[in-house]
């Protein structure tokens, strides 16, 4: 006979305003095996928890039902509390009477009746639960950071400074990400390179950090504390042990191709460093454009190299290493606006540029050495139009979400233009101005005072007339048509997830939202964790952010990882799937369904009808299983069961709802 205690929370007025908590308590007292019921204003508070703990002792309770908020919010709190009592932490059931009752119903009687039903079901289920026990798993005290932008570098430095080895995998040829391409950062207008390049140098020289550039994660297996990660480092065709980074090879290379770092506004050679301050400060050979590698000709770089570091026969290097934690810092890219907005020219006008191209134009190390000049003819533009929300807040063509940083980004560009072209005019077409950060609104107001003219409305069309770009739109505040003859147009395009994020997230079983941004475990309680234990998020891989928010989140992710790596052993989750081998048909449906790769098919011997037979059955890896339960509903034979959520206990809940 079980002894069940039911604890019902008012949650202030969150629950009590809609649910008659005392009526729910009265109904709970009539349920079988319930020996104690009490209500509390805030059960999750310290006095509330102490009351629960004391009730367990006073009434000899061996199973607990908490009727309160979602288990996603505080189930871990209750389990932690029960760990200090005689009750097994898994002899607990949470009835969600907040999100499922008070937040979704207006009618008090309907909400109360539903809350009573949920408590009935929870009591029926908890009465059939069995104690579960965790096992210990070791922790490999190394971390892997995927991405070498500002988020990845900050995360790696924080972890490395705590004394743990870190590997950064960066698919470009240098650390730095997008931030190193910027000229200045708002609202303080600090030099971006002055912030970013010292950090790159610190990462490159840190004894606890290994940097792998031109590298990608090829495969991930294992579980928290013990991830097996296969990394492919693409051939650089340079022996970095011999190369001194003198640059003689770059000066002699005859090939010229568009520079991605300069956003196509400057040429680079086939053997190149991404930019002069790159880390590592050594070149790579672009195999797609090198004449020696594509045609078997040239080879001038090998002839001029004073240390003989050129290796035309270099090959990719594949290594597999073990890490205790993985941090995603994969960043973002800008949406490809050209196919989406043919009315803006679709890319056929060279003087319609993106915000990132403007960053390179205004940068002292950029293609024009900081002079704002038109890409088409190299003249200084006297009228500039900035168009905000290109691809963002536009569900019909681009993305429905706000890219957050664009309002300040465009204000910064207007400020920089007016500062450098004193007789210039700057028009900013906008939908709204959102400046929620510290000092942001003051920056925007100063830009307006400097002469930037804000026009509320979208640009409907851009076309060329002579050497001018005619921008047609509507000022929705005055309801009049607007036409601006501009010399240059800057499009502030939407942030979107980095290329390849879907494949990489799938390898690590990390969830994505509808726009492919990575999803955190809980927006408020676990904002840098994912639902896959041991994998964390930093920066814009989670969604659009500005630099201060990115750095802040990187530090938060690092602190979580440091907390994990400081432990020698971890407690495993005992709520995992279990196979009833006598029912298992070995058809593999559960293997295909499992998002964590935790189930495999193995051959086992059984004695059936007095004969030994060998047949395939499913086997669950307890380290990989996350207890999602997807396999239990897939198994047609009913051989898969989830500990803590067994088929029997679920059916008991249904019975309670229908019969009690």
């Amino acid at each position: 006979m079980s002894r069940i205690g039911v604890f019902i929370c008012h949650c202030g007025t969150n629950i009590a305003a809609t649910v008659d908590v005392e009526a729910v308590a009265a109904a709970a007292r009539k349920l079988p095996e319930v020996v104690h019921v009490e209500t509390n204003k805030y059960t999750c508070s310290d006095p509330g928890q102490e009351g629960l703990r004391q009730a367990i002792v006073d009434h000899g309770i061996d199973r607990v039902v908490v009727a309160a908020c979602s288990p996603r919010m505080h189930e871990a709190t209750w389990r932690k509390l029960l760990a200090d009592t005689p009750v097994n932490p898994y002899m607990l059931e949470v009835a969600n009477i907040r999100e499922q009752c008070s937040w979704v119903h207006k009618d008090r009687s309907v909400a109360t009746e539903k809350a009573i039903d949920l408590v009935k079901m929870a009591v029926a289920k908890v009465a059939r639960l069995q104690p579960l026990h965790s096992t210990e798993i070791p922790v490999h005290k190394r971390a892997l950071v995927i991405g070498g932008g500002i988020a990845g570098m900050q995360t790696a430095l924080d972890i490395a400074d705590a004394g743990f080895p870190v590997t950064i995998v960066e698919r470009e040829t240098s650390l730095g990400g997008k931030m190193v391409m910027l000229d200045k950062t708002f609202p303080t207008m600090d030099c971006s390179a002055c912030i970013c390049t010292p950090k790159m140098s610190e990462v490159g020289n840190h004894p606890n950090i290994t940097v792998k550039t031109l590298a990608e994660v090829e495969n991930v297996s294992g579980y928290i504390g013990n991830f097996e990660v296969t990394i492919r480092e693409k051939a650089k065709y340079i022996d970095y042990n011999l190369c001194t980074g003198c640059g003689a090879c770059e000066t002699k290379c005859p090939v010229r191709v568009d520079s991605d770092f300069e956003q196509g506004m400057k040429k680079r050679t086939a053997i190149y460093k991404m930019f002069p301050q790159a880390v590592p400060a050594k070149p790579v050979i672009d195999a797609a454009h090198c004449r020696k590698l594509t045609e078997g000709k040239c080879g001038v770089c090998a002839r001029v190299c004073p240390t003989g570091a050129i290796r035309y026969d270099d090959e990719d290097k594949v290594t597999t290493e073990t890490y205790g934690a993985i941090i995603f810092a994969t960043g973002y890219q800008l949406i490809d606006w050209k196919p989406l907005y043919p009315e803006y020219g679709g890319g056929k006008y060279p003087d319609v540029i993106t915000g990132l191209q403007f960053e390179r134009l205004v940068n002292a190390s950029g293609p024009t050495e900081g002079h704002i000049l038109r890409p088409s003819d190299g003249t200084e533009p006297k009228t500039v139009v900035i168009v905000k929300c290109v691809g963002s807040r536009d569900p019909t063509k681009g993305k429905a979400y706000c890219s957050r940083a664009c309002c300040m980004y465009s204000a910064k560009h207007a400020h920089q233009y007016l500062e450098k072209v004193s007789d210039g005019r700057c028009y900013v077409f906008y939908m709204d101005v959102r400046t929620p950060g510290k000092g942001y609104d003051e920056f925007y107001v100063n830009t307006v005072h400097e002469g930037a003219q804000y026009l509320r409305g979208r640009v409907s069309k851009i076309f060329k007339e002579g050497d001018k770009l005619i921008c047609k739109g509507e000022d929705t505040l005055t309801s009049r048509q607007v036409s601006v003859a501009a010399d240059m147009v800057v499009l502030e395009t939407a942030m979107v997830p980095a290329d390849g994020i879907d494949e990489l997230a799938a390898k690590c079983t990390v969830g994505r939202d509808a726009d492919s941004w990575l999803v955190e475990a809980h927006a408020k309680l676990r904002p840098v964790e994912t639902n896959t234990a041991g994998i964390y998020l930093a920066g814009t891989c989670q969604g659009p952010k500005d630099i201060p928010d990115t750095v802040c989140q990187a530090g938060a992710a690092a602190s979580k990882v440091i907390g994990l790596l400081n432990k020698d052993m971890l407690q495993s989750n005992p709520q995992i799937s279990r196979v009833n081998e006598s029912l298992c048909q070995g058809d593999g449906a559960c293997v295909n369904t499992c998002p964590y790769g935790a189930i495999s098919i193995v051959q086992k011997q059984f004695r059936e009808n007095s004969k030994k037979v060998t047949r395939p059955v499913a086997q669950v890896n307890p380290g990989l299983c996350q207890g999602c339960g997807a396999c239990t509903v897939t198994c047609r034979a009913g051989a898969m069961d989830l500990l803590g959520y067994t088929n029997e206990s679920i059916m008991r809940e249904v019975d309670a709802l229908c019969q009690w």
Side-chain angles (χ1 to χ4, degrees):
M1 186 72 175
S2 306
R3 295 183 64 80
I4 301 172
V6 179
F7 301 86
I8 306 169
C9 184
H10 288 247
C11 196
T13 56
N14 259 314
I15 293 173
T18 312
V19 174
D20 185 343
V21 173
E22 294 307 324
V24 177
R29 290 189 181 95
K30 300 174 184 174
L31 298 175
E33 303 182 52
V34 173
V35 298
H36 177 71
V37 177
E38 72 177 50
T39 61
N40 200 300
K41 202 81 170 176
Y42 295 102
T43 309
C44 59
S45 66
D46 193 53
Q49 291 191 42
E50 185 54 37
L52 196 155
R53 189 181 289 110
Q54 191 60 45
I56 289 173
V57 175
D58 293 345
H59 300 279
I61 293 169
D62 60 10
R63 294 151 202 267
V64 170
V65 170
V66 178
C69 53
S70 164
R72 205 176 170 199
M73 192 85 176
H74 279 310
E75 189 175 53
T77 304
W78 310 127
R79 290 228 167 92
K80 190 175 177 182
L81 183 153
L82 294 181
D84 293 331
T85 71
V87 181
N88 182 279
Y90 294 91
M91 304 293 271
L92 164 75
E93 185 62 19
V94 178
N96 182 0
I97 63 171
R98 190 178 73 173
E99 284 85 343
Q100 293 183 357
C101 292
S102 63
W103 282 10
V104 293
H105 293 291
K106 302 291 184 188
D107 189 309
R108 187 174 176 83
S109 62
V110 172
T112 303
E113 187 178 346
K114 186 175 177 181
I116 292 171
D117 284 342
L118 290 175
V119 171
K120 278 184 190 176
M121 295 166 68
V123 169
K125 183 186 173 193
V126 80
R128 293 294 174 270
L129 291 181
Q130 298 295 320
L132 299 176
H133 301 280
S134 301
T135 56
E136 289 190 332
I137 53 177
V139 177
H140 207 86
K141 294 179 181 292
R142 297 179 65 202
L144 173 70
V145 177
I146 306 174
I150 185 63
M153 290 192 294
Q154 185 64 52
T155 307
L157 283 171
D158 288 349
I159 298 171
D161 286 343
F164 299 106
V166 185
T167 299
I168 296 180
V169 172
E170 168 57 52
R171 67 180 176 183
E172 299 294 341
T173 60
S174 170
L175 298 172
K178 291 283 189 301
M179 183 177 173
V180 79
M181 297 180 182
L182 307 181
D183 180 45
K184 293 181 179 177
T185 60
F186 57 78
T188 52
M189 299 305 282
D190 298 306
C191 168
S192 182
C194 298
I195 298 173
C196 203
T197 53
K199 206 169 281 289
M200 291 162 57
S201 176
E202 189 179 354
V203 168
N205 294 310
H206 202 294
N208 282 342
I209 298 178
T210 302
V211 177
K212 296 189 176 188
T213 54
L214 214 58
E216 292 184 345
V217 171
E218 197 159 89
N219 190 44
V220 178
S221 61
Y223 46 89
I224 181 171
N226 298 274
F227 292 106
E228 295 285 333
V229 183
T230 302
I231 300 168
R232 177 179 290 274
E233 286 183 87
K234 294 178 183 174
K236 300 180 178 72
Y237 305 99
I238 308 288
D239 186 340
Y240 275 16
N241 294 322
L242 297 177
C243 179
T244 61
C246 67
C249 51
E250 297 177 66
T251 60
K252 298 298 182 184
C253 179
V255 178
R256 295 290 183 273
V257 296
D258 285 344
S259 166
D260 293 336
F261 184 78
E262 300 293 355
Q263 298 294 297
M265 295 188 294
K266 190 178 179 181
K267 301 291 185 183
R268 64 161 172 80
T269 52
I271 183 168
Y272 69 105
K273 276 191 295 191
M274 196 169 172
F275 51 99
Q277 299 79 27
V279 174
K282 296 176 182 178
V284 299
I285 291 180
D286 178 356
H289 296 97
C290 173
R291 292 185 63 196
K292 181 67 176 179
L293 293 174
T294 56
E295 304 170 15
K297 300 176 181 176
C298 190
V300 65
C301 53
R303 291 196 295 274
V304 301
C305 179
T307 60
I310 307 298
R311 295 287 181 268
Y312 294 121
D313 58 350
D314 195 14
E315 295 180 346
D316 293 359
K317 297 180 181 66
V318 179
T319 55
T320 300
E321 298 180 52
T322 306
Y323 298 94
I326 298 174
I327 303 95
F328 272 73
T330 47
Y332 72 98
Q333 63 184 16
L334 296 178
I335 196 169
D336 183 6
W337 65 275
K338 294 176 182 174
L340 302 176
Y341 292 90
E343 63 268 35
Y344 293 173
K348 65 182 178 183
Y349 305 135
D351 296 329
V352 178
I353 63 174
T354 65
L356 203 51
Q357 286 178 307
F358 185 83
E359 290 284 349
R360 296 312 303 159
L361 278 183
V362 79
N363 195 303
S365 63
T368 58
E369 297 181 342
H371 301 289
I372 300 176
L373 303 175
R374 300 206 316 173
S376 61
D377 56 13
T379 60
E380 187 176 75
K382 296 300 181 186
T383 304
V384 166
V385 167
I386 297 175
V387 184
K388 290 169 53 176
C389 299
V390 177
S392 56
R393 302 182 68 195
D394 188 357
T396 58
K397 291 191 173 187
K399 303 295 181 183
Y401 56 78
C402 168
S403 281
R404 290 187 60 187
C406 303
C407 286
M408 287 301 296
Y409 196 48
S410 56
K412 184 188 77 168
H413 288 166
H415 165 77
Q416 288 179 297
Y417 171 73
L418 293 171
E419 185 180 58
K420 293 208 170 191
V421 184
S422 56
D423 58 342
R425 289 174 296 175
C426 181
Y427 299 89
V428 181
F429 282 85
Y430 72 102
M431 294 171 65
D432 295 298
V433 177
R434 298 176 174 179
T435 54
K438 185 178 180 182
Y440 286 10
D441 201 56
E442 291 85 342
F443 186 93
Y444 155 66
V445 171
N446 287 339
T447 303
V448 173
H449 289 165
E450 287 168 356
Q453 297 185 45
Y454 276 67
L455 301 169
R456 189 175 186 276
R458 281 186 181 276
V459 170
S460 60
K461 190 173 184 180
I462 299 173
F463 59 92
K464 198 158 187 180
E465 198 171 275
D467 63 346
K468 296 287 187 181
L469 292 163
I470 307 301
C471 301
K472 292 278 190 182
E474 180 189 8
D475 185 343
T476 58
L477 295 180
T478 59
S479 298
R480 63 181 177 87
Q481 297 294 314
V482 176
S483 179
V484 179
D487 296 313
M488 190 166 73
V489 177
V490 181
L491 305 179
E492 307 296 8
T493 48
M495 292 184 186
V496 294
D499 271 343
I501 191 64
D502 285 332
E503 294 78 6
L504 182 59
K507 289 172 186 172
C508 299
T509 63
V510 174
R512 286 143 284 162
D513 64 17
D515 294 303
S516 289
W517 296 110
L518 302 184
V519 176
E520 67 281 353
H522 190 286
K524 298 166 190 167
L525 299 179
R526 299 168 63 195
V528 297
E529 299 171 66
T530 68
N531 280 322
T532 300
I535 298 182
Y536 304 87
L537 306 177
T540 51
C541 63
Q542 189 188 21
K545 291 181 185 64
D546 57 20
I547 293 170
D549 285 355
T550 295
V551 173
C552 182
Q553 195 189 27
S559 69
K560 287 287 182 183
V561 173
I562 292 167
L564 168 65
L565 300 185
N566 266 319
K567 298 175 182 174
D568 294 324
M569 305 293 284
L570 289 175
Q571 297 290 317
S572 67
N573 173 22
Q575 291 185 308
I576 58 175
S577 291
R578 176 183 60 187
V579 184
N580 184 337
E581 294 180 343
S582 63
L583 296 177
C584 181
Q585 298 174 349
D587 60 6
C590 52
V591 176
N592 298 329
T593 302
C594 179
Y596 303 101
I599 306 175
S600 56
I601 298 295
V602 298
Q603 297 290 330
K604 278 195 172 182
Q605 275 196 346
F606 298 91
R607 180 169 290 280
E608 295 177 351
N609 298 324
S610 304
K611 293 181 180 177
K612 282 186 179 178
V613 295
T614 301
R615 60 181 176 84
V617 293
Q619 187 175 65
V620 177
N621 183 330
L624 293 178
C625 182
Q626 302 290 312
C628 69
C631 55
T632 63
V633 294
T634 304
C635 181
R636 284 169 290 188
M640 301 299 289
D641 221 348
L642 184 62
L643 298 176
Y645 296 88
T646 61
N647 296 334
E648 183 194 1
S649 66
I650 300 295
M651 291 311 297
R652 286 283 299 176
E653 286 188 280
V654 176
D655 287 345
L657 183 63
C658 297
Q659 298 173 13
W660 289 4

